Amino acid sequence: MTRWIFLGDDSRWKFVGWLLKKSVKEIPGRGHKTILIRHGTTKYEEIEEESGLVIVTYSTLPQTEIFIPTYGEDLQLSLEKFDRCALFETHPLGRESTENLAALLESGKTEPMMLYVLMDLIDEIDYEPLVDAKMRKTLLTKKARDVMIARGVNDVFDILHWHRPLVSDLRRRIEHELKNIRNQINNCAEYYDEYIKNWRINGCLNPEIKNQITSFKNVKGRPHIWKCYNEAAKKILFPKVNDFKKIKKTENGIYGAVDLYKKILYNPNEHGKNLAAFIWNVEIDVKQLLEKIYNKFNEAMTSPKKYHDFLSNDESAGEHIYLSLVNKPGGRFFGIKEVYFERYEKFVCEDILKIISKELEQHIEKLRGMVK
């Protein structure tokens, strides 16, 4: 069964008249009653139902239904029921209202295949159109729209027989999925803020966990304070870095950010499929992303020159000496904790997000290039 929905301007009633072999004035309740046209064995029969008017006729195609909603009906509630949508437009062609309706149709979760039907009723107007049907069709086709021109009753069945070419259908599906990914990317910073909030409560930004990084146990017997901080931070930020499959979301670290990346790019769509997962190996892609984040940590967390000094054996052997060196004004490493965590916070809160956003942008551009 092929289910059509007819939308657009009032020229759709002219098309229905051609189909039913009636004048526009003879079409009952046009625009004020929901009409459903079905194939049957009679020339023409009207059946009043609670939901609207059903017209049964052998003038339409078998296994085809045509639904024509009343004015003002909430289209988003019913579009998923239909296979195809005919969007009618007549002179003056190229109206903003038609474009707005097309955008509304394409913004839904599921979109019927949409066909622009340009009703070229040139004999019924008393002016020279600024945009003729051929010009309008050319402009719409450049925007990857499906378009047919109707000039009379002989065009009715060509339009009702219309099928979107497989390549065009695939391109539109890809464009629809790219639009969904784009919307997710636009919200990426907002999503990431939620991870940051959670990390501050029970994660890599929690004060107690940060204190573990600069604790004496990580420095004891070691000559370079900053290097010790980095080694401790890596264990917190990148636990089990070589075995990503075993990483749990509940562990400390920045793996929630990687999970966000996967959700945006690789989550299955409503049909249980995912375009990116057909193109890239998810596990390899995620490992490469993780490697870029890891390398960015090494780049961002290099030791400032003033903290290049080494601890002597005595200084690294006693906790009270270490604490006096880093916490007391005048200590040789005074302020090192503050400087370290300023860099650390920037890496976690800003640098990781920039890497993820950049990777998502590059991936979506590659996907877009495939459908041009």
Side-chain angles (χ1 to χ4, degrees):
M1 175 69 72
T2 301
R3 293 180 172 86
W4 280 90
I5 180 170
F6 282 5
L7 301 172
D9 62 30
D10 285 346
S11 64
R12 58 185 168 154
W13 299 113
K14 185 77 172 181
F15 187 89
V16 172
W18 292 341
L19 173 65
L20 299 177
K21 299 178 175 57
K22 290 180 176 289
S23 68
V24 172
K25 291 181 179 180
E26 292 176 309
I27 299 171
R30 57 188 185 279
H32 302 290
K33 281 186 179 182
T34 296
I35 295 178
L36 180 64
I37 302 174
R38 289 175 175 161
H39 184 268
T41 57
T42 59
K43 181 178 180 181
Y44 183 88
E45 180 184 6
E46 293 180 12
I47 304 170
E48 286 281 355
E49 294 187 355
E50 186 176 345
S51 58
L53 180 66
V54 177
I55 296 176
V56 180
T57 175
Y58 55 60
S59 297
T60 190
L61 295 177
Q63 295 298 308
T64 300
E65 288 186 349
I66 300 170
F67 180 81
I68 312 166
T70 58
Y71 295 124
E73 181 163 332
D74 187 351
L75 300 178
Q76 294 295 4
L77 295 177
S78 56
L79 279 179
E80 62 186 28
K81 301 175 184 176
F82 302 100
D83 309 297
R84 295 174 179 81
C85 170
L87 184 56
F88 288 87
E89 183 182 52
T90 192
H91 302 288
L93 297 169
R95 280 171 286 184
E96 184 179 357
S97 58
T98 307
E99 292 301 319
N100 289 341
L101 181 53
L104 174 65
L105 292 170
E106 294 175 341
S107 66
K109 184 177 180 181
T110 56
E111 170 201 350
M113 291 190 291
M114 185 172 67
L115 173 69
Y116 274 78
V117 179
L118 306 182
M119 297 287 285
D120 192 17
L121 309 177
I122 197 73
D123 295 335
E124 298 184 13
I125 58 176
D126 56 1
Y127 59 88
E128 187 70 26
L130 295 174
V131 179
D132 63 26
K134 288 184 178 180
M135 185 186 304
R136 175 66 168 155
K137 181 177 181 178
T138 300
L139 293 172
L140 289 169
T141 303
K142 286 180 179 179
K143 296 179 180 180
R145 307 291 195 185
D146 298 290
V147 189
M148 293 184 73
I149 297 174
R151 295 190 173 93
V153 67
N154 293 334
D155 298 314
V156 169
F157 287 108
D158 285 341
I159 289 169
L160 292 182
H161 276 295
W162 171 78
H163 287 267
R164 178 179 289 161
L166 183 60
V167 173
S168 298
D169 190 35
L170 179 60
R171 183 179 289 114
R172 292 295 295 275
R173 288 178 183 273
I174 291 173
E175 288 286 359
H176 187 68
E177 188 162 336
L178 286 175
K179 187 184 296 184
N180 290 336
I181 295 174
R182 164 56 58 198
N183 291 337
Q184 293 292 306
I185 291 175
N186 291 341
N187 294 324
C188 188
E190 183 179 341
Y191 298 149
Y192 195 73
D193 280 343
E194 294 301 313
Y195 287 93
I196 291 173
K197 290 176 184 177
N198 291 331
W199 288 336
R200 293 196 186 282
I201 296 170
N202 186 29
C204 58
L205 296 175
N206 179 272
E208 291 184 10
I209 292 176
K210 288 165 66 177
N211 285 338
Q212 293 176 19
I213 295 173
T214 58
S215 65
F216 175 67
K217 72 175 183 178
N218 291 323
V219 179
K220 184 178 181 180
R222 308 282 297 282
H224 198 283
I225 295 178
W226 192 279
K227 183 178 180 180
C228 293
Y229 289 176
N230 274 347
E231 289 176 0
K234 285 180 181 179
K235 290 178 181 178
I236 290 172
L237 295 173
F238 306 100
K240 299 180 182 176
V241 70
N242 294 321
D243 196 354
F244 186 77
K245 286 185 177 180
K246 293 184 179 179
I247 294 167
K248 299 177 182 177
K249 295 179 183 179
T250 55
E251 291 186 84
N252 295 326
I254 50 81
Y255 296 116
V258 179
D259 191 52
L260 172 63
Y261 173 84
K262 289 174 64 179
K263 285 180 179 177
I264 291 176
L265 190 60
Y266 289 112
N267 255 13
N269 58 29
E270 63 268 17
H271 303 293
K273 301 176 182 178
N274 180 275
L275 175 63
F278 282 112
I279 309 300
W280 293 287
N281 181 298
V282 181
E283 184 178 342
I284 292 175
D285 187 36
V286 167
K287 284 184 177 179
Q288 289 174 345
L289 172 67
L290 190 58
E291 184 178 352
K292 289 176 182 179
I293 295 174
Y294 188 84
N295 291 338
K296 180 62 180 179
F297 176 89
N298 291 331
E299 174 191 324
M301 302 303 291
T302 54
S303 172
K305 188 175 181 180
K306 65 179 180 178
Y307 297 127
H308 280 186
D309 287 352
F310 288 87
L311 293 171
S312 66
N313 289 337
D314 291 339
E315 289 172 333
S316 66
E319 184 172 5
H320 68 285
I321 300 176
Y322 162 72
L323 293 176
S324 66
L325 287 172
V326 299
N327 290 340
K328 290 184 179 180
R332 191 151 50 94
F333 295 96
F334 178 70
I336 189 173
K337 292 182 180 181
E338 288 74 15
V339 174
Y340 187 86
F341 284 120
E342 182 180 346
R343 297 258 198 102
Y344 180 90
E345 288 261 348
K346 181 179 181 298
F347 169 74
V348 173
C349 299
E350 298 178 26
D351 293 345
I352 294 174
L353 176 61
K354 287 179 182 178
I355 293 170
I356 289 174
S357 298
K358 182 179 179 181
E359 287 297 304
L360 288 170
E361 290 290 349
Q362 289 177 349
H363 277 64
I364 198 172
E365 285 306 312
K366 289 176 183 176
L367 291 171
R368 182 167 283 112
M370 294 175 185
V371 298
K372 286 182 179 179

